[in-house]
Amino acid sequence: MTRHVTSAVLDSPRPRDNAELPGRLARSAATTEGAHLSLADFPGWLAGRDRAHRFEVRRIPFAELDAWSFDPATGDLGHRTGRFFTVRGLRARAAGAAVGAWQQPVIDQPEVGILGILAKEFDGVLHFLMQAKMEPGNPNLLQLSPTVQATRSNYTRVHQGAPVRFLDHFQRPERVVADTLQSEHGSWFYRKANRNLIVETSGEVEPHDDFCWLTLGQIHALLRRDNLVNMDSRTVLSCLPLPDLAPGALHSDTELLSWITGERARHDVAAELIPLGEVAGWVREEARIRHAHERFFDVVAVSVRAGSREVASWTQPLFEPRGLGVTAFLTRRIGGVRHYLAQARVEGGFLDTVELGPTVQCVPGNVAHLPPEHRPRFLDTVLRAGPERIRYAAVHAEEGGRFLNAESRYLVVEATAEEAPTAAPEGFRWVTAGQLTSLVRHAHYINVQARTLLACLYAMDTGEEPSC
């Protein structure tokens, strides 16, 4: 049942010292009944927010886009203000890759947005302020987002809509828990990054019906459910400075950093923006831009109505992938310590050539035509894993503000030494979750899919404590 509490009793007088943070995070992770909302009451609260607003998304032809148009000279699809984002073309070359060169549409959004979660202590336990937010690309529209999820165009109100609620906590933070610049999807964005922030306050926070306070333990429980905690929440949660409880990594931190540097040095990658109208192998139609072989994704247009957003209605382009993705870490105990097999991934939109990604990250249908030697390594190991070997599984949507029905099945799969030997193949390294947590505190080391899995490691419902 919902507990009604007064801030005079529950609020701590000030944020605690940094030295106390690991213990406070552990307490929050161990608390599955929050001070304001129980897990049993959460589905009813979310359904109530869905009923409280009118949400509607419908596909439209490009000609019905309002304030968006194709540039007659370049074919680029952009907003009349020049803000928000522009769909351009990308020409990429990656020597040694299964596909050495390609062209594609890409989202060019050079401005850095804010993804921020506000923390506050109630009853001696840290809670996090989460928002029930509608995004037009989400399969179920309404998902649990950070306290603030806004591009610079949004929070500077280029759309002339309502102000972004709680933004001042992140522009003038009382106490910073985590603050790092992280990449977005390198396969669909061109060099896009967002500021991932967690800040704590001791002051009063004005309640709002679309926001709720949850403990870390409650959020972990919700991460076990399909399409509930959105991508922006997952990437911010991955930045929590959790302690490394399992020393004894196969490779030292210095060795790991050296390997990453070597991977970046050995990959010859060139990527440049080109006019969308010049992209080879893609076909523009009345209501979509598609690949000539019906693979990868489409660029489509939608009309949106959303009563809970800063602007009640708008139109925009979205990228719609073809098929359900598979995103997985293989895991083993090595020397008694839980390890995860990370891949040095090259994606055309990365700023720094290579970032660490999951063991497998692909849409199987997009690679089915490739010969076996060019299919992603370990894909078959993941696909044939029985339920007894799956330590975590949930379907999560990618960023719903730019991608339509972009879903992946996120997995952590137990592997044998024969399937995934300790001496990892070229381009792969065994790492602990603690090492991933350390790297994610810095920019452009861990890609967004691996950050989702990192956030989900504590949600693994296996009876085994994660090695973080």
Side-chain angles (χ1 to χ4, degrees), residues 53-57 66-68 79-81 84 131 133-136 149-151 153-165 210 303-316:
H53 305 289
R54 179 187 177 188
F55 299 132
E56 177 186 299
V57 178
D66 179 29
W68 295 82
H79 195 265
R80 67 185 174 201
T81 62
F84 300 106
Q131 176 184 182
K133 183 168 183 151
M134 178 271 194
E135 292 287 358
Q149 175 185 320
T151 66
S153 291
N154 288 140
Y155 67 74
T156 57
R157 301 172 66 186
V158 172
H159 48 45
Q160 298 182 333
V164 174
R165 197 176 299 274
D210 289 333
S303 174
V304 185
R305 291 184 181 275
S308 62
R309 294 291 297 266
E310 293 87 1
V311 174
S313 63
W314 70 93
T315 64
Q316 69 169 94

Side-chain angles (χ1 to χ4, degrees), residues 115-339:
L115 307 177
I117 295 179
L118 184 63
K120 184 175 170 62
E121 192 170 279
F122 299 96
D123 273 348
V125 176
L126 270 178
H127 288 61
F128 300 86
L129 188 60
M130 309 300 291
Q131 176 184 182
K133 183 168 183 151
M134 178 271 194
E135 292 287 358
N138 288 340
N140 52 353
L141 294 184
L142 200 66
Q143 294 192 9
L144 208 57
S145 85
T147 318
V148 167
Q149 175 185 320
T151 66
R152 184 178 291 126
S153 291
N154 288 140
Y155 67 74
T156 57
R157 301 172 66 186
V158 172
H159 48 45
Q160 298 182 333
V164 174
R165 197 176 299 274
F166 303 120
L167 179 65
D168 57 317
H169 287 283
F170 301 92
Q171 292 182 320
R172 293 176 294 278
E174 184 177 348
R175 183 207 173 198
V176 174
V177 175
D179 187 358
T180 180
L181 207 61
Q182 295 293 345
S183 63
E184 296 291 295
H185 294 77
S187 296
W188 298 329
F189 280 110
Y190 181 71
R191 299 183 177 180
K192 175 73 173 73
N194 276 322
R195 189 178 180 188
N196 287 229
L197 271 165
I198 302 172
V199 302
E200 185 182 358
T201 184
S202 59
E204 294 290 331
V205 179
E206 183 179 357
H208 189 278
D209 289 342
D210 289 333
F211 293 76
C212 67
W213 291 101
L214 298 172
T215 68
L216 201 50
Q218 290 177 305
I219 296 170
H220 289 161
L222 297 176
L223 278 166
R224 297 176 194 141
R225 307 182 190 181
D226 292 350
N227 282 324
L228 184 51
V229 180
N230 82 354
M231 187 216 78
D232 297 299
S233 294
R234 301 190 306 263
T235 180
V236 177
L237 290 166
S238 76
C239 299
L240 279 168
L242 297 167
D244 186 353
L245 302 179
L250 178 63
H251 304 286
S252 71
D253 292 351
T254 299
E255 291 169 340
L256 181 59
L257 287 169
S258 177
W259 174 73
I260 295 170
T261 302
E263 287 294 306
R264 287 174 170 172
R266 81 178 179 89
H267 285 281
D268 180 15
V269 180
E272 61 177 336
L273 293 174
I274 62 173
L276 181 60
E278 296 180 8
V279 173
W282 293 76
V283 180
R284 177 175 150 189
E285 299 175 345
E286 180 183 356
R288 64 174 179 161
I289 300 171
R290 62 173 178 84
H291 188 263
H293 297 300
E294 304 281 356
R295 296 189 189 117
F296 309 118
F297 60 89
D298 296 341
V299 183
V300 300
V302 295
S303 174
V304 185
R305 291 184 181 275
S308 62
R309 294 291 297 266
E310 293 87 1
V311 174
S313 63
W314 70 93
T315 64
Q316 69 169 94
L318 290 170
F319 279 26
E320 183 175 26
R322 290 176 171 266
L324 180 71
V326 173
T327 305
F329 268 136
L330 291 183
T331 183
R332 282 182 52 205
R333 282 197 171 274
I334 301 174
V337 176
R338 176 67 60 188
H339 282 71

Side-chain angles (χ1 to χ4, degrees), residues 18 50 54 74 81 90 128 202 272 277 304 342 353 387 390 403 445:
N18 275 332
D50 191 28
R54 179 187 177 188
T74 64
T81 62
L90 179 74
F128 300 86
S202 59
E272 61 177 336
V304 185
T353 309
I390 296 175
F403 312 128
Y445 274 99

